[in-house]
Amino acid sequence: MTDSRLRRLRAELLSPAELDAAIAAHPIAFLPLGTLEFHGPHLPIGLDALNAHGVCLEAAAQCGGIVLPPVYQGVGGGHSDYPWTIMMREESGLSAYLEQTLAKLQSFGVHLAVVFTGHFAEQQLSMIDNLAETWNTAGNRMSVYATGVNRSDVELPPDHAGVFESTLLHSFAPELVHLDRLPDRTAHPDWGRNASGAQRHDPSHPLWGVFGQDPREANLDESRELGIAVVSWLSREIARRRP
């Protein structure tokens, strides 16, 4: 994610003049969202925001615009009591931050704001959907497109710390994915393969807190293909809405 070709897209690294020039050329701003949440022993707690930021940077490289720093905060999901999970109990604080940010972006000349979340708990998705609908029906000059990484059209189903999220993060930051830290599959098989079942909420389970396809089945050699596919999907969606 420190690729030099992407540095010019990161708003926090640009001067006011550079930001003005970028928006004048392509009046699009990306707002990546995530949270701090337990993702097993093999992934960082910031995975959701890291994935969102990676996708947004690559999409901005194709569509133009700027990418704001990821917001490591979110709501909803079943991991609130897990170790090192730090999330809001209610959405009001995050929603207020986004509303104020959108108002400022509009004043800076942005025509399309892309609110993109890597944390796709239902409460989080409903929050950004409602935010976009309220904004877009209020007569603002700038439009808002809100979506999440789980809504992409790739064949690999979304999950929590499973094959999808592990592979996607590996596409952007391979040094942060450590499948070797998971229990050996032979000695510790997945005895609760029902991804929605309660078994994986048991701390003694070999895939404690992981939901979806067993990440030990991931083929990380194909991670770049997944990243490209998700970015291509988002870029197509933006092309349909771009100013």
Side-chain angles (χ1 to χ4, degrees):
M1 293 185 188
T2 58
D3 191 327
S4 59
R5 70 189 173 89
L6 302 179
R7 288 178 60 85
R8 60 185 175 82
L9 305 171
R10 295 177 52 176
E12 74 274 23
L13 302 180
L14 302 178
S15 69
E18 290 170 327
L19 289 164
D20 288 340
I23 293 303
H26 302 284
I28 305 172
F30 294 78
L31 286 73
L33 307 179
T35 190
L36 295 174
E37 185 179 24
F38 182 89
H39 281 84
H42 59 301
L43 298 169
I45 62 171
L47 176 139
D48 293 342
L50 291 167
N51 272 344
H53 194 222
V55 172
C56 287
L57 283 172
E58 295 280 1
Q62 295 184 18
C63 302
I66 59 169
V67 181
L68 271 64
V71 176
Y72 287 89
Q73 197 50 268
V75 293
H79 291 76
S80 59
D81 294 328
Y82 273 71
W84 288 102
T85 294
I86 305 172
M87 291 196 293
M88 292 182 164
R89 292 189 177 89
E90 299 180 357
E91 62 192 49
S92 57
L94 181 55
S95 180
Y97 164 80
L98 291 172
E99 290 171 0
Q100 294 179 38
T101 301
L102 292 174
K104 294 298 291 186
L105 291 174
Q106 179 172 247
S107 73
F108 296 148
V110 174
H111 293 173
L112 174 64
V114 180
V115 179
F116 186 76
T117 183
H119 176 63
F120 45 87
E122 187 57 41
Q123 188 176 356
Q124 179 95 341
L125 292 170
S126 295
M127 184 267 295
I128 64 171
D129 287 344
N130 292 335
L131 176 73
E133 181 179 6
T134 299
W135 179 275
N136 290 331
T137 57
N140 290 293
R141 299 184 307 277
M142 182 182 75
S143 63
V144 174
Y145 170 49
T147 192
V149 68
N150 65 308
R151 294 173 175 171
S152 70
D153 58 5
V154 300
E155 294 184 3
L156 192 61
D159 57 34
H160 179 87
V163 169
F164 176 81
E165 287 196 328
S166 299
T167 306
L168 186 60
L169 182 60
H170 190 272
S171 173
F172 304 119
E175 71 279 5
L176 299 180
V177 180
H178 304 280
L179 297 185
D180 59 325
R181 295 178 182 174
L182 290 164
D184 178 76
R185 289 182 66 189
T186 302
H188 302 277
D190 181 1
W191 46 262
R193 294 190 63 83
N194 181 359
S196 61
Q199 298 97 330
R200 291 187 185 175
H201 280 301
D202 183 341
S204 67
H205 193 284
L207 297 180
W208 179 41
V210 176
F211 293 89
Q213 186 178 352
D214 189 335
R216 295 173 296 185
E217 299 174 1
N219 181 1
L220 298 183
D221 291 337
E222 299 178 354
S223 67
R224 193 59 195 140
E225 286 79 0
L226 177 62
I228 290 171
V230 174
V231 170
S232 296
W233 158 76
L234 182 59
S235 297
R236 290 193 301 271
E237 292 298 312
I238 293 170
R240 294 172 49 207
R241 299 168 172 84
R242 66 179 303 138

